[in-house]
Amino acid sequence: MSRLFLACLLAVFPAVSMKSPIFGPEEVTSVEGRSVSITCYYPATSVNRHTRKYWCRQGAKGRCTTLISSEGYVSDDYVGRANLTNFPESGTFVVDISHLTRNDSGRYKCGLGISSRGLNFDVSLEVSQDPAQASDAHIYPVDVGRTVTINCPFTSANSQKRKSLCKKTGQDCFLIIDSTGYVSGSYTGRIRLNIAGTNTLVFSVVINRVPLSDSGMYVCQAGDDAKADKSNVYLQVLEPEPELVYRDLRSSVTFDCSLGPEVADTAKFLCQQKNGEACNVVINTLGKKAQDFQGRILFLPKDNGVFSVHIASLRKEDAGRYVCGAQPEGQPEEGWPVQAWELFVNEETAIPASPSVVKGVKGGSVTVSCPYNPKDANSAKYWCRWEETQNGRCPRLVQSKGLVKEQYKGRLALLAEPGNGTYTVILNQLTDQDTGFYWCVTDGDTSWTSTVQLKVVEGEPSLKVPKNVTAWLGEAFKLSCHFPCKFYSFEKYWCKWSNEGCSPLPTQNDGPSQAFVSCDQNSQIVSLNLDTVTKEDEGWYWCGVKEGPRYGETAAVYVAVESRAKGSQDAKQVNAAPAGAAIESRAGEIQNKALLDPRLFVEEIAVKDAAGGPGAPADPGRPAGHSGSSKVLVSTLVPLALVLAAGVVAIGVLRARHRKNVDRISIRSYRTDISMSDFENSRDFEGRDNMGASPEAQETSLGGKDVVQGGS
């Protein structure tokens, strides 16, 4: 059974030698008689949710004795004062211990599975004596950097006498402040003594920005003689208990810092501390940002001394203690209010890896894959640009609900593909100004926020499209895109850009491209055809490549739609009409004669042939024997006439079918290749009807719903 369990653990944690994914508080402090609550984090996999959780105490020889576990075991020492609660949905379990004694101080482990394995975290618990039990002093607990008010009572006999507060050091008591105006040097500017009035038998001492060194026993005194009123107070300055934060690699984290209204106008900061070293500023409101966090950190100010710091695309080295605070120079200093967190970065993450840097050439494009929690498939998605401002900001450029910033119209699109945890952002027509950092954001799980750095480099775009294109209203139009040989096996496409994305359009492959002389046999031209241009066709068009669901490079071209001068259109129609009418008339005549009597039709052809062609005069010098050869010709052509008649009948049927199809096909639509096998023969015949006509004279639109026929 134990081997099976170990196999399951190895499936979840394949490299036992790696850093343990279990995380908890490194140090926990309390006093006798009180209680503690210790939270331990673990990866919320299906196996881990049901695996045994435990809390054990380390012995002198390294053995860890279980005190309580999730399977119901409780040691004798913990009966009635401890419990362990598992929260599988959040990947945590909590150990609560009450009625603490100084004997509870020691080294512990919280972990999963068997205590002898490496899936655990070391915790130090220190229980100290309650200062209230050591003396008759009144205890004033205060967090470091905050403000404390000490109340000192006195009798009416000493109401008019000097009031003071001193701090005990050994057997001596050093004066801190008194009612005559004296203030000790280390307290200057942050302490004051208040006397409410002659009818109030209490004075108060207010100390601001309390540092750890202010901890200790103080004596309040009213009067200077043997009848003076004295009372002991104990000032307990507490270091901020770091809040535990558990995040996956490549995810993001937000630190919410509340320092109080008294420092609302003071510079704020967030610093990172590792291995007990100094706390290095990560960001502050004076404009400083650490290089390692460039492009992936935001400072979000709020009211009354409250602010947030958001860090995206977490790395392994981001783990450690973070402290936020307020101080005029925007850096840590003892005596100013602070708040702390302990960040653990779990390397076994569900967030897929993606490039942290993408490069594109000037005039070219880049494609960015943005991860999101698959559970948030229906949430709004955004792409914003991180700006190097005092606090950092990230204004949105495009969102999935149709918003595109004005200066990015026609060259930026957010696509839902490929889906299932990833959406795509495409930016083309790159310039040097596009260099910078960009964020992928959703309205759902913000911990999946990711960043990417875009670099624009020198080079030539791979895809070739015309720069300035004009299409004429009512005429046919063809737009070509040249693809180099490296994209030979890729899917090619044209699409029309809009705020909602880029809608794919049918295309046709026009064979090899001459734009890439090094590999003509594999380079291609892919064209977009508009058969009858309308004003709605104006706009941005993109050509691009795809490999499966993944988008690659794109190129953009703007198509302007204009009207030709009316005179030139009329001239084209006048020139085309006579030729078309003559050919149509001749075709009808041939068809009618063949249908009435094929033999007469053939004889007429033979006679005209004998006479030198249609309309030729008789030649009196022609030999008489020539009439015999004509009879032989007639006998030979009769069978052929029958075959020809059948063909003409077929042509008539196909023409009728073509007219029927016109009732339900709009040739005006975007198309791949409008030539259809159903009327190839009729097109071969009728194509000569309008040889000189403009394209619009050969195509029909009924104004109804377009139906696209054909393929690339």
Side-chain angles (χ1 to χ4, degrees):
M1 183 66 182
S2 61
R3 291 182 179 180
L4 177 61
F5 175 71
L6 178 59
C8 293
L9 284 179
L10 290 176
V12 180
F13 309 114
V16 176
S17 61
M18 291 176 60
K19 182 179 178 181
S20 171
I22 311 303
F23 173 62
E26 292 182 351
E27 297 179 355
V28 179
T29 60
S30 188
V31 297
E32 289 182 300
R34 299 186 185 178
S35 61
V36 292
S37 184
I38 301 165
T39 301
C40 293
Y41 295 79
Y42 60 86
T45 64
S46 57
V47 173
N48 289 343
R49 291 189 187 103
H50 300 93
T51 297
R52 173 181 179 265
K53 285 80 180 175
Y54 65 86
W55 172 259
C56 66
R57 183 165 186 169
Q58 300 182 61
K61 296 182 179 180
R63 182 179 179 182
C64 202
T65 303
T66 299
L67 300 177
I68 189 170
S69 77
S70 60
E71 295 180 341
Y73 173 78
V74 180
S75 67
D76 292 341
D77 187 43
Y78 271 30
V79 171
R81 69 184 189 102
N83 59 71
L84 187 152
T85 308
N86 183 33
F87 298 94
E89 65 281 355
S90 61
T92 63
F93 66 93
V94 178
V95 178
D96 294 302
I97 310 170
S98 62
H99 306 295
L100 291 170
T101 68
R102 299 183 71 177
N103 292 331
D104 288 321
S105 297
R107 302 287 301 172
Y108 295 82
K109 288 180 182 288
C110 63
L112 270 65
I114 303 171
S115 59
S116 60
R117 305 296 180 186
L119 300 174
N120 51 52
F121 189 86
D122 291 336
V123 181
S124 173
L125 174 61
E126 182 179 353
V127 181
S128 59
Q129 184 181 12
D130 188 345
Q133 298 177 0
S135 67
D136 59 352
H138 181 77
I139 298 176
Y140 285 89
V142 59
D143 290 333
V144 65
R146 305 293 175 136
T147 299
V148 62
T149 299
I150 299 172
N151 293 316
C152 301
F154 57 87
T155 62
S156 57
N158 292 313
S159 61
Q160 301 299 318
K161 296 182 179 179
R162 185 177 75 102
K163 316 297 188 299
S164 65
L165 180 72
C166 65
K167 183 178 182 182
K168 295 191 69 173
T169 303
Q171 299 299 317
D172 299 322
C173 195
F174 295 94
L175 183 63
I176 301 300
I177 189 172
D178 68 13
S179 56
T180 66
Y182 172 81
V183 176
S184 176
S186 61
Y187 290 84
T188 300
R190 63 185 187 90
I191 191 171
R192 66 181 184 273
L193 188 151
N194 297 326
I195 302 175
T198 56
N199 297 326
T200 303
L201 299 179
V202 62
F203 70 91
S204 61
V205 177
V206 180
I207 308 175
N208 299 316
R209 305 195 307 275
V210 177
L212 288 172
S213 57
D214 283 351
S215 293
M217 189 72 71
Y218 291 78
V219 178
C220 296
Q221 183 169 328
D224 295 312
D225 52 21
K227 295 182 179 180
D229 295 313
K230 296 181 179 181
S231 58
N232 295 328
V233 297
Y234 186 87
L235 183 59
Q236 185 180 27
V237 182
L238 305 173
E239 286 192 86
E241 187 73 24
E243 178 184 345
L244 302 184
V245 181
Y246 190 95
R247 291 292 185 271
D248 288 339
L249 188 68
R250 295 189 287 275
S251 68
S252 63
V253 63
T254 300
F255 300 115
D256 295 315
C257 190
S258 179
L259 302 175
E262 60 269 19
V263 292
D265 299 324
T266 306
K268 314 295 191 306
F269 67 87
L270 180 77
C271 64
Q272 182 190 31
Q273 185 178 27
K274 289 185 176 183
N275 304 320
E277 299 176 356
C279 200
N280 298 313
V281 174
V282 172
I283 189 172
N284 65 22
T285 54
L286 301 180
K288 181 175 181 179
K289 298 181 189 70
Q291 186 61 39
D292 289 344
F293 293 85
Q294 199 76 354
R296 60 190 187 97
I297 190 168
L298 289 178
F299 187 100
L300 308 171
K302 300 177 183 178
D303 296 329
N304 297 321
V306 179
F307 64 91
S308 297
V309 176
H310 189 84
I311 304 174
S313 297
L314 288 174
R315 307 167 182 171
K316 292 187 293 184
E317 56 269 26
D318 291 335
R321 177 164 293 192
Y322 288 81
V323 177
C324 76
Q327 193 266 351
E329 297 179 359
Q331 60 186 10
E333 183 180 332
E334 187 181 18
W336 291 88
V338 294
Q339 189 175 335
W341 299 266
E342 190 74 31
L343 174 64
F344 181 86
V345 178
N346 175 32
E347 298 177 28
E348 297 176 2
T349 177
I351 300 176
S354 58
S356 59
V357 178
V358 294
K359 296 180 180 180
V361 300
K362 288 183 180 179
S365 67
V366 291
T367 300
V368 177
S369 295
C370 293
Y372 65 88
N373 191 327
K375 297 178 182 178
D376 297 328
N378 297 323
S379 65
K381 299 165 182 67
Y382 312 93
W383 206 54
C384 66
R385 180 169 184 172
W386 184 86
E387 294 183 353
E388 181 69 49
T389 60
Q390 180 172 316
N391 297 332
R393 57 189 296 265
C394 201
R396 294 174 181 176
L397 307 182
V398 62
Q399 67 180 43
S400 58
K401 294 183 178 179
L403 178 143
V404 179
K405 201 169 183 179
E406 186 64 30
Q407 59 265 44
Y408 288 87
K409 288 184 181 294
R411 67 188 196 101
L412 177 62
L414 189 154
L415 309 175
E417 295 84 0
N420 194 30
T422 304
Y423 63 93
T424 303
V425 175
I426 301 175
L427 177 65
N428 55 37
Q429 306 170 66
L430 293 175
T431 67
D432 289 332
Q433 287 70 38
D434 293 320
T435 297
F437 294 90
Y438 296 81
W439 288 33
C440 301
V441 188
T442 73
D443 276 346
D445 188 350
T446 57
S447 67
W448 283 62
T449 299
S450 62
T451 66
V452 65
Q453 183 180 10
L454 169 59
K455 295 182 178 180
V456 179
V457 298
E458 296 294 331
E460 288 292 326
S462 296
L463 309 184
K464 308 294 184 182
V465 294
K467 292 186 178 179
N468 299 311
V469 177
T470 300
W472 300 107
L473 195 65
E475 299 184 20
F477 175 72
K478 184 175 184 178
L479 188 59
S480 297
C481 182
H482 298 254
F483 297 83
C485 61
K486 66 179 180 179
F487 295 129
Y488 181 70
S489 61
F490 285 55
E491 176 188 347
K492 290 87 176 173
Y493 66 90
W494 274 100
C495 64
K496 186 175 183 184
W497 181 92
S498 70
N499 283 7
E500 286 74 28
C502 203
S503 303
L505 302 172
T507 59
Q508 72 179 35
N509 189 337
D510 288 346
S513 169
Q514 301 302 316
F516 307 97
V517 295
S518 61
C519 50
D520 290 346
Q521 69 279 10
N522 286 334
S523 58
Q524 292 177 295
I525 303 175
V526 175
S527 297
L528 168 70
N529 294 306
L530 308 181
D531 289 301
T532 307
V533 173
T534 68
K535 196 62 181 175
E536 287 72 26
D537 293 325
E538 190 168 72
W540 284 100
Y541 291 82
W542 290 9
C543 72
V545 294
K546 289 178 68 178
E547 191 171 28
R550 304 289 176 180
Y551 285 84
E553 294 187 42
T554 62
V557 57
Y558 187 83
V559 176
V561 175
E562 298 182 6
S563 299
R564 288 190 188 274
K566 192 174 187 303
S568 63
Q569 288 183 333
D570 292 344
K572 290 175 63 180
Q573 293 175 358
V574 168
N575 292 335
I583 294 173
E584 181 68 27
S585 175
R586 178 60 181 157
E589 180 184 343
I590 292 173
Q591 181 179 351
N592 292 336
K593 288 187 176 182
L595 290 174
L596 289 173
D597 192 335
R599 289 176 298 177
L600 292 177
F601 172 60
V602 174
E603 287 180 3
E604 180 181 346
I605 293 176
V607 170
K608 288 185 178 181
D609 178 66
D619 186 358
R622 186 184 294 269
H626 189 75
S627 62
S629 63
S630 296
K631 293 179 180 180
V632 174
L633 178 62
V634 170
S635 63
T636 303
L637 291 179
V638 167
L640 293 176
L642 294 174
V643 175
L644 181 59
V648 173
V649 171
I651 290 174
V653 172
L654 288 175
R655 292 181 65 185
R657 290 178 57 190
H658 174 59
R659 291 191 183 95
K660 184 178 179 181
N661 284 338
V662 169
D663 291 339
R664 55 186 178 87
I665 298 177
S666 172
I667 310 301
R668 171 267 165 282
S669 62
Y670 301 112
R671 61 185 175 88
T672 300
D673 183 359
I674 202 64
S675 179
M676 297 187 296
S677 60
D678 280 350
F679 44 96
E680 283 180 354
N681 294 332
S682 63
R683 285 179 62 90
D684 292 339
F685 187 81
E686 294 174 340
R688 300 179 178 83
D689 291 353
N690 295 317
M691 290 290 288
S694 63
E696 60 264 36
Q698 301 181 33
E699 300 175 354
T700 305
S701 177
L702 301 182
K705 184 176 180 181
D706 291 351
V707 178
V708 179
Q709 300 275 340
S712 57

Short mmCIF file of all heavy atoms in Angstrom, two decimals, residues 564-593:
data_model
loop_
_atom_site.label_atom_id
_atom_site.label_comp_id
_atom_site.label_asym_id
_atom_site.label_seq_id
_atom_site.Cartn_x
_atom_site.Cartn_y
_atom_site.Cartn_z
N ARG A 564 -15.30 55.44 -60.90
CA ARG A 564 -14.69 55.97 -62.12
C ARG A 564 -15.53 57.11 -62.67
O ARG A 564 -16.72 57.24 -62.35
CB ARG A 564 -14.59 54.87 -63.18
CG ARG A 564 -13.56 53.80 -62.91
CD ARG A 564 -13.40 52.92 -64.13
NE ARG A 564 -12.56 51.77 -63.88
CZ ARG A 564 -11.23 51.78 -63.99
NH1 ARG A 564 -10.60 52.89 -64.34
NH2 ARG A 564 -10.54 50.67 -63.76
N ALA A 565 -14.94 57.93 -63.56
CA ALA A 565 -15.69 58.98 -64.24
C ALA A 565 -16.77 58.34 -65.11
O ALA A 565 -16.53 57.33 -65.78
CB ALA A 565 -14.76 59.83 -65.09
N LYS A 566 -17.97 58.92 -65.13
CA LYS A 566 -19.11 58.31 -65.83
C LYS A 566 -18.84 58.13 -67.31
O LYS A 566 -19.23 57.16 -67.94
CB LYS A 566 -20.37 59.15 -65.61
CG LYS A 566 -21.65 58.46 -66.05
CD LYS A 566 -22.86 59.29 -65.68
CE LYS A 566 -24.16 58.52 -65.96
NZ LYS A 566 -24.27 58.09 -67.35
N GLY A 567 -18.11 59.06 -67.95
CA GLY A 567 -17.84 58.97 -69.38
C GLY A 567 -17.06 57.74 -69.76
O GLY A 567 -17.35 57.07 -70.75
N SER A 568 -16.07 57.38 -68.97
CA SER A 568 -15.26 56.21 -69.29
C SER A 568 -16.06 54.94 -69.14
O SER A 568 -15.90 53.98 -69.90
CB SER A 568 -14.02 56.17 -68.38
OG SER A 568 -14.42 56.03 -67.04
N GLN A 569 -16.98 54.88 -68.20
CA GLN A 569 -17.81 53.69 -68.04
C GLN A 569 -18.75 53.53 -69.23
O GLN A 569 -18.93 52.44 -69.75
CB GLN A 569 -18.62 53.78 -66.75
CG GLN A 569 -17.77 53.61 -65.49
CD GLN A 569 -18.61 53.64 -64.24
OE1 GLN A 569 -19.68 54.26 -64.24
NE2 GLN A 569 -18.15 52.99 -63.21
N ASP A 570 -19.35 54.65 -69.71
CA ASP A 570 -20.27 54.56 -70.86
C ASP A 570 -19.54 54.10 -72.09
O ASP A 570 -20.04 53.29 -72.89
CB ASP A 570 -20.92 55.92 -71.11
CG ASP A 570 -21.86 56.31 -69.97
OD1 ASP A 570 -22.22 55.40 -69.20
OD2 ASP A 570 -22.21 57.50 -69.86
N ALA A 571 -18.30 54.59 -72.29
CA ALA A 571 -17.54 54.19 -73.48
C ALA A 571 -17.26 52.71 -73.47
O ALA A 571 -17.36 52.02 -74.48
CB ALA A 571 -16.23 54.99 -73.55
N LYS A 572 -16.93 52.18 -72.31
CA LYS A 572 -16.68 50.75 -72.21
C LYS A 572 -17.91 49.95 -72.54
O LYS A 572 -17.86 48.95 -73.26
CB LYS A 572 -16.21 50.41 -70.78
CG LYS A 572 -14.82 50.91 -70.46
CD LYS A 572 -14.47 50.66 -69.01
CE LYS A 572 -14.43 49.18 -68.76
NZ LYS A 572 -14.09 48.89 -67.36
N GLN A 573 -19.05 50.39 -72.09
CA GLN A 573 -20.28 49.65 -72.35
C GLN A 573 -20.66 49.73 -73.82
O GLN A 573 -21.12 48.76 -74.41
CB GLN A 573 -21.40 50.20 -71.47
CG GLN A 573 -21.18 49.93 -69.98
CD GLN A 573 -22.23 50.59 -69.12
OE1 GLN A 573 -23.10 51.28 -69.64
NE2 GLN A 573 -22.14 50.37 -67.82
N VAL A 574 -20.46 50.91 -74.49
CA VAL A 574 -20.81 51.06 -75.91
C VAL A 574 -19.94 50.16 -76.77
O VAL A 574 -20.40 49.49 -77.70
CB VAL A 574 -20.66 52.54 -76.33
CG1 VAL A 574 -20.72 52.67 -77.85
CG2 VAL A 574 -21.75 53.37 -75.69
N ASN A 575 -18.65 50.10 -76.46
CA ASN A 575 -17.74 49.27 -77.25
C ASN A 575 -18.04 47.79 -77.07
O ASN A 575 -17.86 46.99 -77.98
CB ASN A 575 -16.29 49.54 -76.83
CG ASN A 575 -15.85 50.93 -77.24
OD1 ASN A 575 -16.39 51.49 -78.18
ND2 ASN A 575 -14.85 51.47 -76.52
N ALA A 576 -18.50 47.42 -75.93
CA ALA A 576 -18.73 46.01 -75.66
C ALA A 576 -20.03 45.52 -76.25
O ALA A 576 -20.14 44.36 -76.65
CB ALA A 576 -18.73 45.77 -74.14
N ALA A 577 -21.06 46.39 -76.38
CA ALA A 577 -22.39 45.92 -76.77
C ALA A 577 -22.46 45.35 -78.17
O ALA A 577 -23.02 44.27 -78.38
CB ALA A 577 -23.40 47.07 -76.61
N PRO A 578 -21.94 45.99 -79.28
CA PRO A 578 -22.10 45.43 -80.62
C PRO A 578 -21.47 44.07 -80.76
O PRO A 578 -22.05 43.16 -81.34
CB PRO A 578 -21.40 46.48 -81.50
CG PRO A 578 -21.42 47.74 -80.71
CD PRO A 578 -21.29 47.32 -79.30
N ALA A 579 -20.24 43.92 -80.24
CA ALA A 579 -19.58 42.61 -80.36
C ALA A 579 -20.37 41.55 -79.64
O ALA A 579 -20.57 40.44 -80.15
CB ALA A 579 -18.16 42.70 -79.80
N GLY A 580 -20.86 41.87 -78.49
CA GLY A 580 -21.64 40.88 -77.74
C GLY A 580 -22.91 40.52 -78.45
O GLY A 580 -23.30 39.35 -78.53
N ALA A 581 -23.61 41.51 -79.03
CA ALA A 581 -24.88 41.23 -79.72
C ALA A 581 -24.65 40.38 -80.95
O ALA A 581 -25.43 39.46 -81.25
CB ALA A 581 -25.55 42.55 -80.10
N ALA A 582 -23.59 40.67 -81.71
CA ALA A 582 -23.33 39.90 -82.93
C ALA A 582 -23.04 38.45 -82.61
O ALA A 582 -23.54 37.52 -83.26
CB ALA A 582 -22.16 40.52 -83.69
N ILE A 583 -22.20 38.22 -81.60
CA ILE A 583 -21.86 36.84 -81.25
C ILE A 583 -23.08 36.10 -80.74
O ILE A 583 -23.32 34.94 -81.07
CB ILE A 583 -20.73 36.84 -80.20
CG1 ILE A 583 -19.46 37.41 -80.82
CG2 ILE A 583 -20.49 35.45 -79.67
CD1 ILE A 583 -18.33 37.62 -79.83
N GLU A 584 -23.90 36.78 -79.90
CA GLU A 584 -25.11 36.15 -79.38
C GLU A 584 -26.06 35.79 -80.51
O GLU A 584 -26.65 34.71 -80.54
CB GLU A 584 -25.78 37.09 -78.37
CG GLU A 584 -27.04 36.53 -77.74
CD GLU A 584 -26.74 35.38 -76.82
OE1 GLU A 584 -25.62 35.34 -76.28
OE2 GLU A 584 -27.62 34.51 -76.63
N SER A 585 -26.21 36.69 -81.53
CA SER A 585 -27.11 36.43 -82.66
C SER A 585 -26.64 35.25 -83.48
O SER A 585 -27.41 34.37 -83.87
CB SER A 585 -27.20 37.69 -83.53
OG SER A 585 -27.96 37.44 -84.69
N ARG A 586 -25.35 35.19 -83.76
CA ARG A 586 -24.80 34.07 -84.55
C ARG A 586 -24.97 32.76 -83.81
O ARG A 586 -25.32 31.74 -84.42
CB ARG A 586 -23.31 34.35 -84.81
CG ARG A 586 -22.59 33.24 -85.56
CD ARG A 586 -23.20 33.01 -86.93
NE ARG A 586 -22.53 31.95 -87.64
CZ ARG A 586 -23.06 31.24 -88.62
NH1 ARG A 586 -24.32 31.48 -89.00
NH2 ARG A 586 -22.37 30.30 -89.23
N ALA A 587 -24.74 32.76 -82.50
CA ALA A 587 -24.89 31.53 -81.73
C ALA A 587 -26.33 31.04 -81.77
O ALA A 587 -26.60 29.84 -81.91
CB ALA A 587 -24.46 31.77 -80.28
N GLY A 588 -27.30 31.97 -81.65
CA GLY A 588 -28.71 31.58 -81.70
C GLY A 588 -29.09 31.01 -83.06
O GLY A 588 -29.84 30.03 -83.17
N GLU A 589 -28.57 31.60 -84.14
CA GLU A 589 -28.89 31.11 -85.49
C GLU A 589 -28.38 29.70 -85.70
O GLU A 589 -29.10 28.82 -86.21
CB GLU A 589 -28.26 32.06 -86.52
CG GLU A 589 -28.51 31.65 -87.96
CD GLU A 589 -27.78 32.58 -88.92
OE1 GLU A 589 -27.37 33.68 -88.50
OE2 GLU A 589 -27.64 32.20 -90.09
N ILE A 590 -27.15 29.45 -85.28
CA ILE A 590 -26.57 28.11 -85.45
C ILE A 590 -27.37 27.09 -84.65
O ILE A 590 -27.70 26.00 -85.11
CB ILE A 590 -25.11 28.12 -85.00
CG1 ILE A 590 -24.28 28.97 -85.97
CG2 ILE A 590 -24.56 26.72 -84.93
CD1 ILE A 590 -22.85 29.19 -85.52
N GLN A 591 -27.74 27.45 -83.44
CA GLN A 591 -28.47 26.51 -82.59
C GLN A 591 -29.83 26.19 -83.19
O GLN A 591 -30.25 25.01 -83.24
CB GLN A 591 -28.64 27.10 -81.18
CG GLN A 591 -29.37 26.17 -80.24
CD GLN A 591 -29.50 26.79 -78.86
OE1 GLN A 591 -28.92 27.81 -78.61
NE2 GLN A 591 -30.27 26.15 -78.02
N ASN A 592 -30.56 27.19 -83.68
CA ASN A 592 -31.91 26.96 -84.23
C ASN A 592 -31.87 26.08 -85.46
O ASN A 592 -32.68 25.16 -85.63
CB ASN A 592 -32.57 28.30 -84.56
CG ASN A 592 -32.88 29.08 -83.30
OD1 ASN A 592 -33.04 28.47 -82.24
ND2 ASN A 592 -32.97 30.40 -83.41
N LYS A 593 -30.95 26.31 -86.41
CA LYS A 593 -30.87 25.49 -87.61
C LYS A 593 -30.51 24.05 -87.29
O LYS A 593 -31.03 23.11 -87.88
CB LYS A 593 -29.85 26.07 -88.57
CG LYS A 593 -30.33 27.37 -89.24
CD LYS A 593 -29.36 27.83 -90.30
CE LYS A 593 -29.90 29.08 -91.01
NZ LYS A 593 -29.00 29.53 -92.10
#
